[in-house]
Amino acid sequence: MTEPLSSAFFDRPVLEVARELLGCRLVRQMDCRRAAVLITETEAYRGEEDLACHARSGRTERNAMLYGKPGLAYVYFTYGMHWLLNCVTGPEGFPAAVLLRAALPVDGLDWIAANRAGRKPAEWCSGPARLTRALGVDGGFNGCDLTRRDGGLWIEAGQPVANEAVSTGPRVGVDYAPEPWRSLPWRFIATIKP
């Protein structure tokens, strides 16, 4: 079995981690069931000065995990209906994280299909809320250590993605943020073929 990524992988600048998570394998295990997806889209959020980041108003009960140690999961509820999964990066105490926006299912397809009943395979993990639903990730995973298997959710090295297969663009859903934060090209998209 491939070992989970180390905390050192996450203890780097958030933009580096966001790019290098592309092609990595996000794994979810429950009992004897296992599902895995290759990460194809990420977004970086960096510090209290980033006016699109949850830390823009300082530390709160909701965003406290953002200030945690590198490699922890920051899972939050949004729009009253969706859970979103982030990976905390950089040094402990500095709020930065990578939102996992989309992925390509590669293992446990029956389990993922059951979690996304009525949806076409192309829609199973094609957005951040769809991704968490496909893998059964909810608020109970907030604070899960993604560098260890014992929490049932972790990230492994996967399929390296060449720079030619990566594009960037502005983050999604941050229209409330003023410039330059609204338009920074901190979203990373990989073209990965199954």
Side-chain angles (χ1 to χ4, degrees), residues 69-101:
K69 68 178 187 174
L72 293 182
Y74 168 48
V75 182
Y76 65 88
F77 199 54
T78 189
Y79 301 119
M81 65 178 89
H82 301 305
W83 294 104
L84 302 186
L85 172 62
N86 299 257
C87 309
V88 176
T89 68
E92 186 169 0
F94 181 80
V98 176
L99 171 66
L100 303 184
R101 284 200 53 83

Side-chain angles (χ1 to χ4, degrees), residues 7 11 14 19 31 35-36 46 60 65 69 72-73 75 83 87-88 90 97 111 125 134 164 180 183-184:
S7 59
D11 192 9
V14 69
R19 163 59 181 92
D31 301 324
R46 184 179 72 195
T60 65
M65 200 55 62
K69 68 178 187 174
L72 293 182
V75 182
W83 294 104
C87 309
V88 176
W111 184 14
C125 299
E164 309 82 68
S183 300
L184 290 171

Side-chain angles (χ1 to χ4, degrees), residues 3 49 63 66 75 85 87 97-98 110 124 157 159 163 172 190:
E3 288 298 312
E49 76 281 356
N63 71 18
L66 265 175
V75 182
L85 172 62
C87 309
V98 176
D110 290 345
W124 286 350
Q159 176 179 320
N163 287 333
V172 176

